[in-house]
Amino acid sequence: MAKRFKEVTSVNLYPERPNFKWIVLILSFTIGVGSIVYTNDLVKKIRERERKQIDLYARTLEYVANDQDDPNVAFMLEEIIQANKTIPVILTDQHGNPEDYKNLPKVNDFDSPKERRAYLLKEVEEMKELREPIVLTLLDSDNQIYGYKFIYYKNSSLLTELRFYPYVQLSVIAIFVFIAFVVFNYSRSAEQNRVWVGLAKETAHQLGTPLSSLMAWVEYFRATYPDQEEIINELNKDIERLERITERFSSIGSVPQLKEENVYNLVQEVVKYLEKRLSTKVSISVTVFPDDEISANINHALFAWVIENLLKNAVDSMEGKGQIFIKILQVNEGRVAIDVTDTGKGIPKNRINQIFTPGFTTKKRGWGLGLTLTKRIIEHYHKGKIYIKETEIGKGTTFRILLRS
Ligand SMILES: Nc1ncnc2c1ncn2[C@@H]1O[C@H](COP(=O)(O)OP(=O)(O)OP(=O)(O)O)[C@@H](O)[C@H]1O
Ligand SMILES: [Mg+2]
């Protein structure tokens, strides 16, 4: 089967760099995972340290509570209790009444002692959910237990923030990469646009001068050699053809004017024009549904170019022998479909995604630009769609164009 297709010669106009994409992706992933693992490790270490600090804090309180005469107490109070400037702590009696707190700056938002107490109780509840409190045992002078106190604590805000840090960091990186990607793609397509438009404009411009000179020559011949009517008519046809090409190029090089046009008439015009140049072994039929009054917003010169490209490809795929069916359908309000079906060799599945890329061709003398241009005219200038509706190897292909009416 594969032998039926000629070797693919592809002029790679826009080389992709898939390897590059993969490297960036793998690198980003490694950095992402690495950053999370590292931060989690850091969080674990800091949490352990905070726990030890609290433990020391608790022991100090216990000591102070049980042995108030020791001269070292003042030092310990200063050094250890005051040193905790990050970990939020609440000290309660054995019934859960808050007696003291540290590193809870929000307490100052409340004016009345009642509100403060309510706030502290709420904090105690939250801390209780997170961790078991540290228990202080109170001893009297005979070393008999006479009561308990509880120390509730939670992560310092540093630790909390650190835990979310890698996710914030990753989101920022992801947003940045996304924006960079969009900008890159946009500038790439803007660049392509400029090339297309600039080249087309220049071509139209360059063709204009010799064309008007040729027209003048034909008029001169007509006047000078009235008996050479036939040759002059042939010359005129060539000039018309050149004019048509110039018009196409100049339309693609500017913002094209769309006009409400009868689709059937336009398609017929192109078919009539091409039929004269095709072998008699190719038949083209045009049908309309529901009636031939279907119209759409079209740029005449460009749309004729589209139909011509599709018909030429169809003829090529049938190797000069077969049938082409063009169906014009009003699919629903405001949408017109034009299906171009051939009885040619079909398109292999793995090529369907390639045929619209610039430079892709399976033909010896092809440029691989016909469908690129066609897609561009339909999508860019007419805001429509073009795609392969159906294709089967050895049976044929149907292209569908969707236009707005
Ligand atoms: N109707 C079709 N049936 C089968 N293959 C097709 C058909 N239309 C297009 N193709 C395939 O898609 C390829 C690209 O088509 P395209 O019109 O873009 O370029 P081309 O016809 O090869 O060259 P040119 O620039 O002269 O049009 C063709 O080479 C052909 O392999
Ligand atoms: Mg082509």
Side-chain angles (χ1 to χ4, degrees):
M1 231 355 133
K3 272 194 185 145
R4 298 176 58 160
F5 295 92
K6 289 197 192 107
E7 213 26 62
V8 180
T9 55
S10 179
V11 187
N12 207 352
L13 296 184
Y14 304 106
E16 294 281 332
R17 294 198 194 92
N19 286 340
F20 181 68
K21 268 189 213 158
W22 279 111
I23 291 172
V24 169
L25 209 71
I26 291 171
L27 214 66
S28 323
F29 187 73
T30 319
I31 292 175
V33 171
S35 147
I36 290 178
V37 169
Y38 177 71
T39 321
N40 276 347
D41 189 52
L42 209 64
V43 165
K44 224 159 103 188
K45 281 183 189 151
I46 293 180
R47 186 188 291 152
E48 185 57 24
R49 202 157 73 188
E50 286 192 355
R51 205 192 56 74
K52 278 190 183 145
Q53 200 182 340
I54 285 291
D55 215 44
L56 190 62
Y57 183 75
R59 294 302 134 229
T60 312
L61 284 182
E62 206 168 31
Y63 192 77
V64 172
N66 292 329
D67 200 352
Q68 311 215 343
D69 303 329
D70 194 310
N72 287 331
V73 165
F75 165 77
M76 281 193 284
L77 263 182
E78 192 70 20
E79 286 298 306
I80 299 168
I81 301 182
Q82 298 304 324
N84 171 21
K85 292 202 164 56
T86 51
I87 308 164
V89 203
I90 300 175
L91 177 74
T92 71
D93 65 14
Q94 60 196 28
H95 308 295
N97 297 309
E99 290 186 337
D100 202 359
Y101 59 84
K102 244 187 147 254
N103 303 318
L104 285 163
K106 261 197 173 168
V107 176
N108 298 325
D109 292 352
F110 305 102
D111 293 329
S112 71
K114 214 173 151 189
E115 281 175 325
R116 287 184 182 202
R117 191 181 139 79
Y119 168 73
L120 287 175
L121 284 176
K122 201 182 97 230
E123 282 290 326
V124 165
E125 281 310 309
E126 274 174 27
M127 290 172 176
K128 208 187 270 180
E129 298 238 319
L130 288 175
R131 284 195 189 84
E132 283 297 305
I134 294 171
V135 183
L136 298 185
T137 317
L138 303 178
L139 305 173
D140 60 17
S141 48
D142 300 329
N143 266 359
Q144 294 295 312
I145 297 173
Y146 73 90
Y148 298 98
K149 280 181 197 286
F150 297 105
I151 295 180
Y152 293 93
Y153 68 103
K154 63 179 184 185
N155 289 342
S156 65
S157 53
L158 170 77
L159 199 61
T160 317
E161 277 163 27
L162 207 60
R163 277 173 63 175
F164 291 111
Y165 177 71
Y167 300 102
V168 173
Q169 187 187 23
L170 286 185
S171 316
V172 169
I173 292 176
I175 291 169
F176 175 77
V177 168
F178 177 73
I179 292 175
F181 182 74
V182 168
V183 168
F184 174 73
N185 256 12
Y186 175 78
S187 70
R188 202 168 103 136
S189 85
E191 188 183 305
Q192 286 177 17
N193 274 346
R194 278 201 299 276
V195 173
W196 274 107
V197 167
L199 205 63
K201 241 187 206 159
E202 180 62 14
T203 309
H205 179 74
Q206 296 270 2
L207 278 173
T209 323
L211 199 58
S212 40
S213 147
L214 274 178
M215 277 158 153
W217 275 108
V218 168
E219 284 319 304
Y220 170 78
F221 287 145
R222 205 189 287 281
T224 322
Y225 310 100
D227 51 331
Q228 297 291 343
E229 186 78 28
E230 217 171 295
I231 297 180
I232 290 168
N233 279 348
E234 281 308 307
L235 275 179
N236 235 347
K237 272 188 202 153
D238 281 337
I239 288 180
E240 273 168 24
R241 168 89 185 139
L242 275 175
E243 267 184 309
R244 197 192 287 254
I245 293 171
T246 312
E247 197 193 341
R248 286 174 180 177
F249 276 104
S250 102
S251 309
I252 218 167
S254 54
V255 181
Q257 297 296 314
L258 300 187
K259 247 178 42 198
E260 176 120 353
E261 295 241 13
N262 182 301
V263 183
Y264 177 70
N265 290 349
L266 209 168
V267 170
Q268 276 294 6
E269 191 187 305
V270 181
V271 169
K272 287 254 163 63
Y273 174 78
L274 274 184
E275 259 177 346
K276 281 185 266 172
R277 287 165 173 72
L278 295 176
S279 91
T280 48
K281 287 178 190 148
V282 174
S283 76
I284 307 178
S285 76
V286 186
T287 53
V288 235
F289 185 82
D291 56 57
D292 57 13
E293 289 304 307
I294 298 176
S295 64
N297 277 318
I298 289 176
N299 177 284
H300 193 102
L302 292 182
F303 192 72
W305 203 356
V306 165
I307 298 297
E308 199 180 301
N309 273 327
L310 291 181
L311 292 182
K312 277 185 177 164
N313 280 350
V315 171
D316 287 344
S317 85
M318 306 188 299
E319 280 156 4
K321 194 179 158 196
Q323 288 165 288
I324 299 172
F325 306 94
I326 304 177
K327 285 189 197 131
I328 303 165
L329 303 165
Q330 184 85 50
V331 272
N332 52 38
E333 193 84 23
R335 251 158 125 63
V336 176
I338 299 122
D339 290 351
V340 179
T341 307
D342 61 56
T343 53
K345 58 186 168 192
I347 302 171
K349 285 248 155 27
N350 60 353
R351 273 194 201 150
I352 288 179
N353 288 329
Q354 290 174 285
I355 59 161
F356 289 105
T357 36
F360 178 83
T361 182
T362 53
K363 300 169 193 170
K364 241 186 181 152
R365 284 164 189 240
W367 284 103
L369 286 178
L371 283 178
T372 311
L373 195 74
T374 298
K375 190 178 170 76
R376 196 179 162 76
I377 291 172
I378 295 298
E379 292 183 354
H380 213 80
Y381 295 92
H382 289 86
K383 306 288 173 228
K385 278 201 185 100
I386 177 160
Y387 54 93
I388 294 172
K389 193 176 162 231
E390 251 179 292
T391 183
E392 203 181 324
I393 302 293
K395 285 249 171 84
T397 306
T398 302
F399 279 88
R400 168 163 276 197
I401 300 172
L402 285 174
L403 289 179
R404 298 161 186 225
S405 58

